[in-house]
Amino acid sequence: MDAANALHGHEEEPTRGLSERDSKILEFERHWWKYAGAKEQAVRDEFDMSSTRYYQVLNALIDREEALEADPLLVRRLRRLRSQRQRQRSARRLGFEV
């Protein structure tokens, strides 16, 4: 919510176009470090899915325009981290360091 809307009591719907599960996944990614234990266990407890499936859903989610609109800072950060990991994997396969 921006300052103008906060002043007038208008609240934007932050998850416009996203399902409830997608919204919860973005919220989880914002705050997952607050959960006790490993992230994989927190994913299993929170979403009842394997960590592999969670990351498949997350990667598809951060490619969606609705997710970018809902939380641009988080989505851009997750996209940037994904790109870095992809470059590192490619570099390792080619035999040099990034």
Side-chain angles (χ1 to χ4, degrees):
M1 167 173 15
D2 63 12
N5 285 336
L7 257 175
H8 295 95
H10 299 291
E11 193 171 323
E12 285 184 40
E13 186 177 320
T15 57
R16 179 179 51 238
L18 295 177
S19 70
E20 185 177 340
R21 181 189 72 170
D22 292 344
S23 298
K24 286 182 179 180
I25 287 174
L26 289 178
E27 182 67 25
F28 179 81
E29 281 298 314
R30 252 182 251 114
H31 304 290
W32 72 265
W33 49 271
K34 292 181 181 178
Y35 292 86
K39 183 176 182 180
E40 288 75 20
Q41 186 60 46
V43 165
R44 191 170 304 283
D45 294 343
E46 190 75 18
F47 300 106
D48 194 30
M49 63 175 78
S50 70
S51 59
T52 301
R53 180 65 185 143
Y54 173 80
Y55 287 113
Q56 290 170 342
V57 171
L58 177 63
N59 279 308
L61 175 60
I62 64 174
D63 287 334
R64 293 180 47 203
E65 195 62 34
E66 296 92 343
L68 185 62
E69 290 173 9
D71 194 337
L73 292 176
L74 174 67
V75 171
R76 285 188 189 121
R77 180 174 60 85
L78 293 172
R79 287 177 178 178
R80 187 176 60 250
L81 291 171
R82 179 179 62 184
S83 290
Q84 288 172 349
R85 286 190 300 271
Q86 287 171 338
R87 281 194 304 276
Q88 289 171 345
R89 280 192 301 274
S90 294
R92 275 195 306 267
R93 284 188 206 118
L94 296 172
F96 53 88
E97 305 228 2
V98 176

